[in-house]
Amino acid sequence: MGSSSLTASLLLLSLVFMQFVSAADQNNVTIKAEPGDNVILTCKDPEQGKITIAEWKRTDLGSSEYVLLYKDEKNNPGAQHPSYRDRVDLLLIQIRIGDVSLILKNTTTDDSGTYECRVDTEKHVEKLISTVNLQVSPSPPPEPFPVWAKVLLVLPGLLVLALAAAGVSVYFWRRWKPGESLELHYP
């Protein structure tokens, strides 16, 4: 085997490996959201064939209940888990190019879980396209204001106050010299 064919073989092997890693990354995604957010759970068939059935399921729900079932060119709400009714949708125009990404509206902490997208096309039946781990949690409370920042906010005011006190002291010192008596006049 010549060095050029060995190089070509190694290049081909590395390309195949990179595509495998890239596809694995595309198929296992973690999405973080806060309650009330709208999120898109991606699911794109790399073969871009005509999708006849798209199933979105959550792994911890019953096997017969769907987050969304797209069949016969429409959504099937009868097979849908009640907590997802009127909160999920697909971009119907994207289905023609193999994209059945799920739009989940007004997320709640109960939506946290692992979602799987499977599709049927002319080429394959119930092929797992993507797995999405959705984590919905409230944003953490704001951190307390750091002490150093409070000092920086107060320091200019203290500096102005000290300068004003020094100015008043100098004023009275110049007006009243030691050895002279200070007379106060009251009206």
Side-chain angles (χ1 to χ4, degrees):
M1 180 185 266
S3 69
S4 64
S5 63
L6 178 62
T7 303
S9 297
L10 287 174
L11 180 63
L12 181 61
L13 183 61
S14 65
L15 277 171
V16 168
F17 178 74
M18 286 175 60
Q19 284 181 337
F20 174 76
V21 169
S22 173
D25 286 346
Q26 226 173 12
N27 293 336
N28 274 324
V29 177
T30 297
I31 296 176
K32 294 182 180 186
E34 293 182 14
D37 285 351
N38 296 338
V39 295
I40 296 177
L41 310 182
T42 56
C43 182
K44 297 178 184 176
D45 184 10
E47 296 174 11
Q48 296 183 347
K50 181 180 179 199
I51 293 178
T52 55
I53 298 175
E55 302 174 345
W56 273 100
K57 288 187 174 186
R58 205 166 106 187
T59 57
D60 60 339
L61 293 178
S63 61
S64 63
E65 292 188 289
Y66 295 90
V67 172
L68 182 134
L69 174 63
Y70 173 83
K71 187 176 181 180
D72 299 325
E73 298 185 7
K74 64 183 182 227
N75 292 339
N76 183 349
Q80 190 175 42
H81 189 276
S83 67
Y84 291 98
R85 287 206 179 106
D86 300 323
R87 293 195 313 123
V88 292
D89 213 344
L90 302 175
L91 297 172
L92 295 178
I93 199 160
Q94 296 294 100
I95 292 173
R96 288 185 225 149
I97 58 170
D99 185 347
V100 287
S101 296
L102 181 77
I103 302 167
L104 176 56
K105 302 171 195 163
N106 195 22
T107 58
T108 68
T109 54
D110 292 337
D111 293 329
S112 294
T114 303
Y115 294 77
E116 292 181 340
C117 173
R118 298 178 188 277
V119 297
D120 289 9
T121 66
E122 305 94 23
K123 297 179 183 178
H124 47 74
V125 176
E126 271 198 54
K127 179 180 178 185
L128 177 64
I129 301 295
S130 70
T131 302
V132 179
N133 182 24
L134 178 62
Q135 299 170 357
V136 182
S137 57
S139 62
E143 291 187 24
F145 212 58
V147 173
W148 63 266
K150 291 177 186 176
V151 170
L152 287 177
L153 289 173
V154 172
L155 193 59
L158 290 176
L159 186 59
V160 167
L161 188 61
L163 287 174
V168 168
S169 297
V170 168
Y171 172 77
F172 281 113
W173 181 76
R174 286 194 162 195
R175 299 246 325 145
W176 179 70
K177 298 193 174 75
E180 296 178 9
S181 62
L182 181 62
E183 294 179 26
L184 296 175
H185 300 283
Y186 294 101

